[in-house]
Amino acid sequence: MLAVTAVSDVRTVGVVGGSLGGLFQAVALAELGLDVTVWERSAGRPDDRGAGIVLQPSVAWFLSVFCGVDPDRISVPVTHRQFFGRDGRSHHTLMRQRMISWGAIYTSLRDRLDSERYHDGQRVTALTPRPDGVDVHLGDAVHPVDLAIIADGSASRHRGLVAPDGAPRYAGYVAYRGVIDEAELPEELSEVFRDRFSFYDGDRTQFLCYFIPGDFGSTTPGSRRMNWVWYVRADAAGLDRITTDRDGTAHGLSLPPGLMAARVRGELLDRARTSLPEPLRRLVEHTREPFAQAILDGHASRMRRGRTLLTGDAAFVVRPHTAASAEKAAADAIALFTALQQVPSVDAALQAWEKDRLAEGAALYQHGVRLGQRLGLGGTEADPPHRPAPGNAARGGS
């Protein structure tokens, strides 16, 4: 059990955004006894066929302590890293990790939060700071809160209130992604990847894959899903082509599953046949609904303005090579939970929280840029053209 003490000067909290970043904060702050309300602009629970995530320590700890969920029961273990050469041969190194799906984390958090606290299909139109709080506007309705947390992701509509310089930039390459039910894979192909976190580093490209939980969080072999990610360079025109769907609708910086244009799908398959090792090529060919997202860099110079905070990808958008987007969001929430208990003044607690999380976010941001450079995928953050993210940026994790 957590030892929780009362928080002075804060009773009500408004969270703008109900994805992972907002849910981590809402669950943690509700544990402090605060009256937390989450507003999420999308309606209904998202489809649980999103990409996989490497289970990192802060996420595992949060699920265990705050949600009462054993992370080992909703994640898939790997024992080795597997590295492919272009000829399809591979070598292995021992490295134990656990892999989880975005949906398994989301469900664990959402189920922990009282349903009356979560309002989906509710778009926050404005935030108005006050000396002792923030007014949250939803159309004509105004909800005063003592603390507002902006958690609406990399495409944040409200980031500029705190960090006007924090809009993300396109890093010059995309991540093609795919999720395949294990039952749809030939047994001999599944065996190649079983218990493995697999990689292929080619010429200015990288492909990685691993198993994640299947429907209802199933981790039983045969009922899991194979998750793959393929990083490919693309200029601005290439990005526009990739993210324009089969009906000709442009989606900006991401393309959801099931909408890929036939021409883009053909280009993806042709590229796989000419540039990937045979086992990885077969994964791409077995994928019914590949999707794609632009890789972004986002760096906030501050995470707090008065009683308004930025958290998760609304603050720092780090490249997925770091495998740290969900980890960063969980750590933001844990740090705020701790600061509000340990520092007697709310303003001092928020100041200490911002200092800690700014340093961590900046370090992860720079680490991701260096990893991209090392792979030959993207230059410095100053190289690509500035492209603000639209409202449908894809979720993910490496």
Side-chain angles (χ1 to χ4, degrees):
M1 294 291 293
L2 289 166
V4 177
T5 58
V7 180
S8 61
D9 300 329
V10 174
R11 291 291 179 268
T12 57
V13 179
V15 180
V16 183
S19 190
L20 297 192
L23 285 170
F24 279 125
Q25 292 285 1
V27 170
L29 295 180
E31 193 71 29
L32 283 176
L34 302 181
D35 183 3
V36 180
T37 303
V38 179
W39 292 283
E40 164 57 38
R41 65 176 178 265
S42 300
R45 292 202 177 205
D47 181 11
D48 184 17
R49 293 193 62 85
I53 295 174
V54 178
L55 180 61
Q56 300 284 18
S58 291
V59 175
W61 187 87
F62 195 104
L63 294 176
S64 176
V65 174
F66 285 101
C67 300
V69 172
D70 180 358
D72 288 353
R73 297 189 64 181
I74 57 170
S75 61
V76 175
V78 298
T79 56
H80 290 76
R81 289 199 169 189
Q82 175 171 240
F83 300 92
F84 282 94
R86 180 63 186 87
D87 60 3
R89 297 180 182 179
S90 65
H91 67 276
H92 312 83
T93 60
L94 181 65
M95 186 168 184
R96 298 184 182 277
Q97 291 180 279
R98 300 195 73 90
M99 309 307 194
I100 195 168
S101 67
W102 185 96
I105 300 174
Y106 176 90
T107 298
S108 298
L109 295 170
R110 181 80 182 268
D111 288 351
R112 178 62 177 173
L113 194 67
D114 293 342
S115 59
E116 63 267 21
R117 297 183 184 275
Y118 193 101
H119 303 278
D120 58 359
Q122 299 288 315
R123 181 174 177 267
V124 173
T125 53
L127 298 169
T128 304
R130 295 181 282 103
D132 59 347
V134 181
D135 287 336
V136 181
H137 299 259
L138 287 89
D140 294 332
V142 179
H143 301 267
V145 296
D146 299 324
L147 181 66
I149 299 176
I150 298 172
D152 54 350
S154 61
S156 175
R157 300 168 186 266
H158 303 283
R159 175 191 289 113
L161 181 65
V162 176
D165 59 346
R169 304 166 66 94
Y170 177 49
Y173 59 108
V174 300
Y176 286 106
R177 295 181 178 271
V179 180
I180 314 165
D181 287 341
E182 188 176 6
E184 296 181 1
L185 290 175
E187 175 60 28
E188 74 276 7
L189 187 58
S190 290
E191 189 62 33
V192 171
F193 302 107
R194 202 155 287 162
D195 304 320
R196 302 287 187 263
F197 187 179
S198 299
F199 294 82
Y200 169 65
D201 293 344
D203 179 18
R204 296 185 298 178
T205 191
Q206 184 185 56
F207 190 107
L208 57 91
C209 61
Y210 48 84
F211 282 111
I212 61 174
D215 281 327
F216 308 108
S218 174
T219 59
T220 304
S223 63
R224 304 171 299 183
R225 293 179 180 137
M226 166 56 67
N227 167 82
W228 61 262
V229 186
W230 188 8
Y231 299 107
V232 176
R233 289 168 63 96
D235 60 16
L239 173 63
D240 289 340
R241 185 178 67 256
I242 291 165
T243 56
T244 297
D245 69 22
R246 61 194 178 198
D247 296 322
T249 301
H251 289 258
L253 297 178
S254 67
L255 184 74
L259 297 180
M260 186 170 286
R263 181 179 64 169
V264 175
R265 177 71 182 276
E267 292 172 354
L268 178 65
L269 292 172
D270 287 344
R271 184 189 291 268
R273 289 163 185 153
T274 58
S275 62
L276 289 180
E278 190 264 348
L280 307 182
R281 170 185 61 78
R282 293 179 66 189
L283 289 183
V284 178
E285 291 174 340
H286 274 87
T287 303
R288 295 183 182 181
E289 297 183 341
F291 52 110
Q293 68 181 109
I295 302 304
L296 307 175
D297 293 318
H299 183 292
S301 60
R302 58 189 299 174
M303 294 175 67
R304 176 204 175 206
R305 178 185 176 190
R307 295 288 183 90
T308 305
L309 309 180
L310 294 178
T311 192
D313 289 349
F316 288 91
V317 184
V318 298
R319 299 195 192 184
H321 316 297
T322 63
S325 181
E327 171 78 355
K328 175 170 58 67
D332 283 351
I334 294 167
L336 185 58
F337 174 91
T338 303
L340 288 174
Q341 285 193 91
Q342 294 182 347
V343 181
S345 161
V346 168
D347 288 338
L350 299 181
Q351 183 178 3
W353 173 84
E354 181 190 35
K355 181 179 179 180
D356 172 71
R357 301 315 300 156
L358 272 176
E360 178 68 15
L364 280 172
Y365 169 84
Q366 293 295 342
H367 180 53
V369 171
R370 288 193 296 269
L371 289 174
Q373 291 171 335
R374 194 175 305 163
L375 292 164
L377 286 165
T380 66
E381 66 251 40
D383 288 340
H386 182 274
R387 298 192 55 157
N392 66 337
R395 62 181 181 261
S398 65

